Amino acid sequence: MLRALKGEVLKRPPFWLMRQAGRYLPEYRELRKQSKNFLDFCYSPDLAVEATLQPLRRYNMDAAILFSDILVLPDALGQKVEFREGEGPVLEPIRSIAEMNKLSADRIEDHLAPVFETIARLANEIPEQTALIGFAGAPWTVAVYMVEGRGGTDCSQIRKWADDASDEFRELINLLVEAIATYLTRQVESGAEIIQLFDSWAGILNERQFHRWSIEPTRRIVDRLRESCPGVPVIGFPRNVGPLAEPFVTGTGIDAISLDQDTSLAWIAETLQPKCTVQGNLDNQVLVEGGEALDRETMAILKALSKGPFVFNLGHGILPTTPPEHVARVAELVLGWPATAKEVR
Ligand code: CP3
């Protein structure tokens, strides 16, 4: 994994899956019962370590990703964050300077101490050849949840604030840049070897806004990490941005870009792969379906991208309805590459 992120072309690409821990696994659902509240679960090192290790035991991925959530950060800043059963995250929205001023980055170290402990224990427990990935939401995506108060909205509140009062909104983004850089530095100091920044809501921004609210803040975080933890690779995930993935790569200085399933394989190979390592991009819905479509699409990705620096992954996180056997099939095809190319036509 580390070699691929440094730009090496490997015979068999490394493999992990976004949201590889979680509800599609019966052992996760069982473990999850030990804590009523999802944030408490994330802040229990025993449970978070176990959840992180579960997919590795089944599928032998090349990387483990810390079990946590991007919304522990607004929680640490002092915003009220709740996860409601069947509803997802609900936050008390921040929509003014006065509300923003109640937040503070001073609590990160103490409040997120259980996350750092989880990382430190994982660094000791996972096999030597398995990389440990730490992560955070990118400023824009975390701000979407902070301002909208939940996911899945039309984002009208945050867009209005970002457009009509951009100086105010910039203060929120600046606070998040500082907080995220501090949080990620502490993750690396605790034992994370790779960082992924999830900008899951970057796709709703137009080009000008994308430069201002995604590329620019990401570049500042990357710069801070280069200084505080030199040599630690950073993977960016600006989801659904189409051809703007190219200015994202050149403008942020990231080591690798994670791509969603709508990004053309030929375009990735031709335009992005000469510039950085690429990660992706199996359709998570095809992973739910399985069968021939799953074999075919997995092979198409391996064929198109394994001639350059590449990490096999999904285009977006595993869905809770995914049959675990389908994940086993993908693991078999990727871990057996290139021999498996002969098996599937
Ligand atoms: O295995 C891993 O990949 C690590 C764990 C992980 C979780 N969330 C666990 C989780 C990671 C990397 C995340 C990131 C995350 N969280 C993102 C960015 C990636 C993406 O999917 O776009 C976002 C936007 C969130 C916010 C979030 N967390 C939402 C919208 C939800 C509710 C929807 C859902 O899938 O349940 C969550 C809850 C959440 N995060 C769960 C898990 C396992 C389910 C909660 C439970 O088990 O009860």
Side-chain angles (χ1 to χ4, degrees):
M1 184 72 184
L2 290 165
R3 283 161 61 202
L5 292 176
K6 293 290 170 201
E8 238 183 273
V9 181
L10 304 171
K11 215 187 284 162
R12 192 271 287 172
F15 152 76
W16 70 282
L17 301 173
M18 286 190 268
R19 294 276 191 106
Q20 62 192 22
R23 284 168 299 181
Y24 76 106
L25 289 175
E27 60 270 35
Y28 172 80
R29 295 196 296 270
E30 198 50 45
L31 186 71
R32 182 69 182 76
K33 288 181 189 158
Q34 291 190 35
S35 180
K36 206 165 164 285
N37 178 311
F38 180 64
L39 279 176
D40 289 344
F41 186 97
C42 292
Y43 296 143
S44 308
D46 287 342
L47 301 177
V49 165
E50 175 58 20
T52 306
L53 297 175
Q54 285 177 341
L56 302 182
R57 292 194 194 108
R58 277 182 184 247
Y59 310 114
N60 230 341
M61 281 96 174
D62 296 297
I65 181 161
L66 161 71
F67 189 89
S68 182
D69 195 86
I70 64 166
L71 299 180
V72 300
L73 189 81
D75 186 53
L77 294 175
Q79 186 171 11
K80 196 165 170 233
V81 180
E82 250 185 293
F83 283 82
R84 293 192 193 147
E85 183 95 41
E87 215 185 320
V90 179
L91 297 83
E92 202 168 272
I94 305 282
R95 294 183 186 159
S96 67
I97 288 283
E99 282 159 357
M100 197 191 317
N101 286 341
K102 291 188 202 145
L103 305 175
S104 162
D106 298 344
R107 288 181 283 248
I108 290 178
E109 178 70 36
D110 283 349
H111 191 90
L112 298 176
V115 177
F116 307 134
E117 186 185 331
T118 302
I119 293 175
R121 285 207 217 163
L122 284 167
N124 272 324
E125 282 190 37
I126 61 176
E128 178 68 32
Q129 69 276 12
T130 310
L132 179 56
I133 304 172
F135 73 91
W140 169 254
T141 288
V142 175
V144 166
Y145 287 96
M146 291 177 79
V147 175
E148 294 292 317
R150 54 180 65 225
T153 66
D154 61 1
C155 296
S156 55
Q157 298 285 343
I158 190 171
R159 283 162 129 174
K160 188 168 158 45
W161 202 18
D163 286 338
D164 292 356
S166 59
D167 287 344
E168 276 183 36
F169 184 68
R170 186 180 302 279
E171 284 191 40
L172 178 62
I173 293 293
N174 288 346
L175 170 78
L176 287 170
V177 166
E178 291 306 312
I180 292 165
T182 302
Y183 179 40
L184 292 175
T185 298
R186 287 292 297 119
Q187 290 190 29
V188 172
E189 287 168 357
S190 306
E193 299 170 278
I194 295 164
I195 292 300
Q196 175 147 329
L197 267 174
F198 288 90
D199 214 348
S200 308
W201 292 101
I204 64 170
L205 295 166
N206 67 33
E207 183 169 4
R208 200 182 50 81
Q209 295 166 329
F210 180 62
H211 277 270
R212 196 188 259 191
W213 306 127
S214 176
I215 294 182
E216 193 53 29
T218 300
R219 183 189 59 74
R220 287 163 59 202
I221 293 172
V222 172
D223 286 351
R224 281 275 306 269
L225 290 174
R226 297 279 185 248
E227 233 170 84
S228 60
C229 357
V232 172
V234 182
I235 308 169
F237 179 43
R239 192 167 68 90
N240 284 345
V241 300
L244 293 177
E246 192 187 0
F248 184 87
V249 167
T250 50
T252 59
I254 46 163
D255 300 272
I257 184 161
S258 199
L259 297 152
D260 60 75
Q261 52 244 29
D262 295 332
T263 322
S264 141
L265 292 173
W267 183 80
I268 295 171
E270 196 177 318
T271 312
L272 298 179
Q273 230 169 2
K275 298 190 170 75
C276 71
T277 300
V278 299
Q279 173 174 281
N281 67 343
L282 183 71
D283 190 333
N284 57 358
Q285 189 56 50
V286 171
L287 187 61
V288 175
E289 289 159 21
E292 271 178 40
L294 178 59
D295 280 19
R296 201 173 51 235
E297 299 229 357
T298 302
M299 284 299 137
I301 292 166
L302 286 163
K303 277 179 195 153
L305 301 179
S306 60
K307 294 181 214 76
F310 172 48
V311 175
F312 189 94
N313 207 311
L314 298 174
H316 197 194
I318 295 191
L319 297 165
T321 48
T322 306
E325 322 77 86
H326 295 179
V327 180
R329 178 60 178 161
V330 173
E332 185 186 359
L333 292 174
V334 181
L335 299 176
W337 178 266
T340 42
K342 295 188 192 76
E343 191 188 318
V344 181
R345 297 202 182 266

